[in-house]
Amino acid sequence: MTTEGTVPGQTVAEPSSTAVRTALWRALHVQHDPAPPVFEDELGLRLAGPGSEWRRRPDMDPDDNPFARAAVITRARFAEDLITEQAGRGVDQYVVLGAGLDTFAQRRTDLTPALRVFEVDAPGPQLWKRRRLEELGFGASDRLVFVPFDLAAGGSWYDALVTAGFDPGRPAVVASLGVSTYLGKDAIVAMLRQGTALAPGSTLVTTFQLPLEMVEPGPRELRAAVEKAARASGTPFTGFFAPEEILALARDAGFRTAEHITAPELTARYFAGRSDGLRPSNAEELLVVTV
């Protein structure tokens, strides 16, 4: 189970279990997997504050589902590489949809002076996170804007952004990582279509889950077990797309370009030559679209 955002319908003032697990998996990668890390983030661990015994959690067994851990760090690295590249071209707005315990604004102080970062998340978990950041000594900044909005509840994330001070006339990078897993197809299509209102020169990257029958053997069995556990905990996986299906949806929505980034491409980019064999599976892949 891998998401940066919130579970549909969640309104309580605490992070979702999936957001916490994602933060812990990022830290587990740094602490357990051989150097160099693909993505380095232990601040999310500090935010979550799980206690000293967190690595004893059953879902923190590093050998239990390495493909899911690899997916979490891969998508995070890809998004940060993308915003780094686009910031170098003058893009100065970065939107994180379903931010969860994302720590970009606190870690990437090399980029944030030139960027406004908009974190979109459900009101309860977002309130918890703001309080927790204050406890850790991260004060308010006009470069970080919190946008309370529940992606699972319908409505327009784009309108919420503009209301919060997002400049609709300037290009942006928008990242939606791990969120579509818990949204229905209609909500995912609506999320994509809203992105076409972004200014020309904008880029949106989103993860998507392949149908179980398209997942490679080995990871397929692990994904089936994760789906079963998710259903039992009340957070079922609900949005699945074949690559050609989500590409068609993006083109129909009106995006200028649409590109499917495959797991083998990501493995070659970020995991080549690793001694531990860590890599993402094709259970989750990336869609990158431009306006």
Side-chain angles (χ1 to χ4, degrees):
M1 192 178 310
T2 56
T3 177
E4 304 284 65
T6 60
V7 174
Q10 179 170 344
T11 57
V12 295
E14 61 183 23
S16 70
S17 61
T18 50
V20 171
R21 179 161 38 249
T22 294
L24 300 190
W25 271 343
R26 287 180 173 187
L28 183 65
H29 172 57
V30 176
Q31 296 186 12
H32 171 79
D33 297 327
V38 173
F39 186 77
E40 193 165 357
D41 177 15
E42 293 182 276
L43 179 55
L45 170 64
R46 292 178 60 200
L47 266 177
S52 60
E53 299 297 306
W54 67 275
R55 288 191 58 173
R56 295 182 180 272
R57 290 171 43 144
D59 56 357
M60 290 300 118
D61 180 346
D63 299 320
D64 181 48
N65 193 345
F67 298 105
R69 182 167 76 257
V72 164
I73 59 178
T74 301
R75 68 198 189 201
R77 172 67 182 272
F78 185 93
E80 292 203 9
D81 283 356
L82 178 62
I83 185 58
T84 300
E85 172 193 341
Q86 293 298 308
R89 297 177 179 175
V91 173
D92 60 2
Q93 298 185 111
Y94 181 37
V95 179
V96 187
L97 293 179
L101 298 184
D102 186 89
T103 59
F104 173 86
Q106 291 76 42
R107 287 182 297 102
R108 294 303 305 270
T109 54
D110 57 320
L111 293 176
T112 47
L115 287 172
R116 291 196 81 197
V117 181
F118 295 83
E119 290 196 5
V120 181
D121 209 352
Q126 190 172 84
L127 176 62
W128 181 94
K129 181 179 181 180
R130 295 181 69 171
R131 290 172 175 167
R132 185 71 182 129
L133 285 170
E134 291 174 2
E135 291 172 0
L136 293 176
F138 294 98
S141 167
D142 61 359
R143 311 309 298 171
L144 173 59
V145 181
F146 292 97
V147 184
F149 180 83
D150 190 343
L151 290 164
S156 172
W157 60 263
Y158 178 81
D159 289 346
L161 273 179
V162 173
T163 299
F166 179 83
D167 186 344
R170 298 181 65 83
V173 170
V174 179
S176 173
L177 306 178
V179 177
S180 65
T181 306
Y182 304 96
L183 299 177
K185 285 196 173 184
D186 289 346
I188 295 169
V189 171
M191 180 184 73
L192 282 173
R193 288 189 180 277
Q194 289 167 37
T196 62
L198 294 163
S202 296
T203 308
L204 185 152
V205 56
T206 182
T207 52
F208 69 96
Q209 293 279 334
L210 273 69
L212 187 61
E213 63 271 15
M214 296 186 71
V215 178
E216 60 187 294
R220 181 187 306 157
E221 288 71 27
L222 289 169
R223 228 283 290 281
V226 170
E227 283 190 43
K228 181 178 180 181
R231 285 194 298 272
S233 66
T235 57
F237 289 16
T238 53
F240 304 97
F241 295 91
E244 60 271 19
E245 181 183 7
I246 201 161
L247 283 169
L249 286 171
R251 295 187 185 110
D252 291 346
F255 287 103
R256 180 169 55 87
T257 67
E259 182 181 7
H260 167 216
I261 312 295
T262 68
E265 290 176 272
L266 293 164
T267 297
R269 184 180 302 190
Y270 296 126
F271 296 86
R274 289 189 65 89
S275 62
D276 57 352
L278 187 69
R279 65 171 180 87
S281 77
N282 73 335
E284 178 183 271
E285 296 189 321
L286 294 172
L287 172 72
V288 180
V289 295
T290 61
V291 181

